[in-house]
Amino acid sequence: MKIKLSDGQRFGLMRRTVRSWPFAGLAATSLALALAGCSGANVGGPPTPVPVGTAPTAQAAPGSGTTIGTGSVKVALILPLTAGGAAGNTATVLRNAAEMAVAEFQNPDITILVKDDGGTAAGAQAAAQAALQEGAELILGPLLAESVRGAAAVARPAGKPIMAYSTDTSVATRGVYLMSFTPQNTVDRIVQHAAQMGKRSYAAFVPDSAFGQVVQGAFQEAVSRSGGRVVAIEKFPLDPAGVTAAAARLSGIAGQIDAIFVPDPYDGAALRALSAANVDIRRVQVLGVGPWVGNRAAAQAAPSALYAAPDEAGFQNFAGRYRARFGQDPARIASLTYDSVSLVAALVRTQGTQRFSETVLTNSSGFNGVDGLFRFRADGSPQRGLAVIQAGGRVVSPAPRTFGGGS
C-alpha cells in the first residue's frame, strides 16, 4: 500500500509489515523518515535531574511565548533566546529553522510553543512546566546540557519525551533523546573504516582540552572494539611551540603504527609538527573528525587524511533555502531543528495516538533527514549514518542508506 501526498519531499514509512508508505512533505531537500522495526528499512529520499521545586517564570524574549503553526497537536521548542552571545544567536537560527520546517511541510497538524530558557537549567525547567501546562506532548530542545537537565526534571515525570540538541551524551537517558552529532558517533565511524582498510596499530595526537578528552576516550573504545591496539597517545597544548614539543614525543613510535588519530588538525600545525617529528603522514593514515570539515590548511598538510562527517550535499541544499528565506547563512546545527520538527510533523500524520511513544521514537530502522540517516537508542543517545571523506572533500565511503538490524 502506498500513500502519496503532494510536493516532492518523500518520507518513506515502514510498518512492522514489509510494506513501505512513502508520503510527501515539502519540495526540494529530502527528509525521508523510515519508521518501524523491520530490519533493512527502505529509507526514501534523503544524571541526576535538578530538583523540581518552584521554578521561576521564564523571561519573555523575542520569539518566546509565540507559536509556529496552527495544528491540533502541540509541541514545545525550548531555546536560549535571551542567553546572549553565541548561544542566543544560535537560538534565533534554530527558531527560524523550525519556522521553515513548518512552512515547507505540507499542512502539518502541529503547533509549536516557542519558549525561552535563558540558557539556564532553572529557565528550562520553568519553560517546560509552562509548555506542559499549555498541552505540549513533546519538547524539542533545549540546546545547552544544563538546560536539558532542567527540562527533563519536568518532562520525564510527566511522561513527555524530549528531543534535545546538546552534544553532551551524559544528559541522554530514556525519554531524553539527542538529535546531535556526538563525538562518539564520528570516532566510531572513522575507526571502523580504518579497520576495514586493514589498520591495526594506532596512535592518537589530541588537543589538551575538554573536546580532546572526550574524543580520546571514544577513540580508545572504538579501537578496542575493532580489534586494534593503541600504541601511544600524546596530548598537545593549543600553542605552536607546545604542538611541536608534543609531536616530537611520538617520533620513537612512528614505525610501529599504521594510522594516527588527529581529531583537531589545529589548522595544519598539528600535522606539520608530526611530519617534522618523522611521522610519515603519507604512509601512516591520518584519521580525523568534525574539525576537519572545510579545513583547507589541514587538507594541504595531509591531503590523504580521512575524516567522518555527514555528507554535506543535504545541508547545502537546506542552507540555500534558508538563505533565500532569511537572508543569512544558517548555523551548522540548524538542520537538527529542521529535522526534528519535520519528524514530529510526520509522526503526527502517520502514527496516531502512538506518535511519540518510545516504540516509535526508538524504532531500529531510524529516520533520514537533511544530514542523512539517524536513529535514537533506548538510552537516548543518537546514532547517525556518516560518510568517510578525504581531506580534499572527496567521499571515499558514502553514508549508509539503512542501519543494520538492532540498535
Side-chain angles (χ1 to χ4, degrees):
M1 178 179 181
K2 290 187 176 181
I3 299 175
K4 187 171 183 178
L5 306 178
S6 62
D7 287 340
Q9 173 121 19
R10 298 174 64 80
F11 295 76
L13 167 72
M14 294 196 67
R15 296 279 186 186
R16 291 193 180 274
T17 65
V18 294
R19 300 178 183 269
S20 75
W21 291 18
F23 58 97
L26 60 102
T29 65
S30 331
L31 171 67
L33 305 176
L35 303 180
C38 54
S39 65
N42 179 20
V43 184
T48 302
V50 298
V52 176
T54 303
T57 303
Q59 272 189 312
S64 179
T66 63
T67 60
I68 302 170
T70 58
S72 65
V73 177
K74 295 179 180 179
V75 298
L77 176 63
I78 300 178
L79 296 170
L81 293 161
T82 59
N89 292 336
T90 299
T92 299
V93 174
L94 300 189
R95 188 208 176 281
N96 288 348
E99 180 185 308
M100 181 170 150
V102 170
E104 291 186 335
F105 194 102
Q106 185 190 26
N107 301 319
D109 189 21
I110 61 172
T111 294
I112 300 175
L113 311 174
V114 182
K115 302 294 181 184
D116 173 48
D117 63 24
T120 69
Q125 192 172 328
Q129 286 176 330
L132 297 191
Q133 288 169 0
E134 294 171 34
E137 297 183 23
L138 175 144
I139 292 172
L140 301 173
L143 173 62
L144 306 177
E146 287 306 312
S147 295
V148 176
R149 291 189 176 95
V154 175
R156 292 190 70 210
K160 305 300 181 184
I162 293 175
M163 292 185 195
Y165 308 133
S166 171
T167 60
D168 186 346
T169 55
S170 71
V171 302
T173 189
R174 188 171 183 174
V176 181
Y177 307 104
L178 300 187
M179 283 290 299
S180 48
F181 294 96
T182 64
Q184 290 84 352
N185 272 189
T186 53
V187 173
D188 283 349
R189 176 68 167 112
I190 196 62
V191 171
Q192 177 189 57
H193 181 79
Q196 291 169 349
M197 294 171 64
K199 308 304 180 184
R200 294 291 180 267
S201 298
Y202 299 82
F205 195 43
V206 301
D208 189 5
S209 64
F211 169 73
Q213 183 176 355
V214 170
V215 293
Q216 175 185 325
F219 170 72
Q220 291 173 286
E221 292 176 5
V223 171
S224 177
R225 283 194 300 270
S226 75
R229 68 187 183 110
V230 178
V231 177
I233 294 176
E234 189 63 50
K235 296 182 180 181
F236 63 85
L238 299 181
D239 68 83
V243 174
T244 301
R249 292 191 288 272
L250 287 173
S251 61
I253 56 90
Q256 303 174 40
I257 60 174
D258 47 26
I260 186 165
F261 179 56
V262 188
D264 185 350
Y266 199 49
D267 287 335
L271 301 161
R272 290 189 294 271
L274 288 170
S275 293
N278 297 317
V279 178
D280 186 354
I281 58 177
R282 293 169 298 179
R283 181 192 68 81
V284 176
Q285 180 62 62
V286 177
L287 308 174
V289 289
W292 281 81
V293 177
N295 193 319
R296 294 182 180 179
Q300 290 173 350
S304 63
L306 302 175
Y307 61 85
D311 191 327
E312 285 294 291
F315 180 79
Q316 292 305 323
N317 193 315
F318 160 79
R321 300 196 325 281
Y322 184 99
R323 280 192 298 271
R325 179 178 289 268
F326 299 108
Q328 61 183 9
D329 289 332
R332 183 60 184 84
I333 65 169
S335 57
L336 303 184
T337 302
Y338 183 93
D339 280 355
S340 62
V341 171
S342 299
L343 171 57
V344 164
L347 295 178
V348 168
R349 180 166 290 172
T350 63
Q351 299 298 296
T353 59
Q354 293 299 302
R355 52 190 171 244
F356 304 141
S357 67
E358 182 177 6
T359 299
V360 169
L361 293 176
T362 62
N363 80 83
S364 62
S365 296
F367 317 100
N368 200 347
V370 168
D371 292 307
L373 195 62
F374 68 97
R375 64 181 172 186
F376 303 121
R377 297 184 176 98
D379 65 2
S381 64
Q383 184 178 5
R384 286 187 171 269
L386 302 173
V388 175
I389 305 169
Q390 201 169 53
R394 181 174 68 88
V395 175
V396 300
S397 178
R401 293 185 176 274
T402 62
F403 285 116
S407 58

